[in-house]
Amino acid sequence: METGTMDDAGHDPEGGAIERGGVTGSAGPRDEPVWSGLPRGLLRMRRLLLVVWLVPLTVAAALVPGLLAAPGWAVSALLPLGLLLWAWPMLGRNWRSWRYAERADDLLISRGVLWRQETVVPYGRMQLVEVTSGPVERHFGLAGVQLHTAAAATDARIPGLDPAEAERLRDRLTELGEARSAGL
């Protein structure tokens, strides 16, 4: 089903909305959300934590069996070393997959490498917006935004933001949530 008329180039000469298959959109290019990624500090923090945990484990896996049993058992250090070498680029891929976009009526959060997950949180459904920052996050100058909705299964979070951006996002989401819920 199509309403309105289009010229040969496929545009509405009056500049109105064209409805195709029950979907109304503007005649120009489709309005895509403006996605924001996470700061690089989150990747640095996660990689440092990886090194802090796996390097001592690698050393212990080499020394303990190597000294107590036989030097040949020091190859057991290859497992945590291999895990470190595999996880390093995987953390980068995971970090690049996180993004969020503020739209007129909702917030989009997208993440995941193998299994993409996109969460849409309507502003009117938000009950609480929290800014959290643990000790390690504070050391790296990071904070996360936690969104709580009426349904516990749809709670969403955005990790590793700059604290100023996290507070700005919290204030904006709270303001938009109050405005949207006032109409209920």
Side-chain angles (χ1 to χ4, degrees), residues 3 18 24 43-44 48 62 90 92-93 108 120-123 132 140 142 152 163 167 175-176 179 183:
T3 61
I18 303 295
T24 302
L43 179 60
R44 278 194 301 270
L48 179 65
M90 291 301 112
R93 290 182 65 190
L108 301 175
V120 180
V121 184
Y123 296 134
T132 59
F140 282 90
L142 300 171
E167 290 174 13
E175 178 184 315
L176 289 169

Side-chain angles (χ1 to χ4, degrees), residues 27-44:
R30 185 170 180 242
D31 292 334
E32 291 292 322
V34 178
W35 292 98
S36 300
L38 300 180
R40 195 158 190 82
L42 178 65
L43 179 60
R44 278 194 301 270

Side-chain angles (χ1 to χ4, degrees), residues 38-124:
L38 300 180
R40 195 158 190 82
L42 178 65
L43 179 60
R44 278 194 301 270
M45 178 190 77
R46 288 180 174 174
R47 283 183 170 166
L48 179 65
L49 289 173
L50 177 73
V51 168
V52 163
W53 283 101
L54 287 181
V55 166
L57 185 61
T58 302
V59 170
L63 289 179
V64 172
L67 294 174
L68 295 178
W73 284 98
V75 298
S76 62
L78 293 178
L79 181 63
L81 182 62
L83 182 61
L84 175 70
L85 295 175
W86 174 81
W88 189 272
M90 291 301 112
L91 286 173
R93 290 182 65 190
N94 180 269
W95 170 76
R96 282 188 300 277
S97 76
W98 276 88
R99 58 190 188 154
Y100 66 97
E102 301 171 60
R103 295 195 306 185
D105 295 323
D106 49 31
L107 176 73
L108 301 175
I109 302 171
S110 178
R111 65 186 177 279
V113 177
L114 291 177
W115 289 275
R116 292 289 299 158
Q117 183 176 7
E118 189 165 300
T119 305
V120 180
V121 184
Y123 296 134

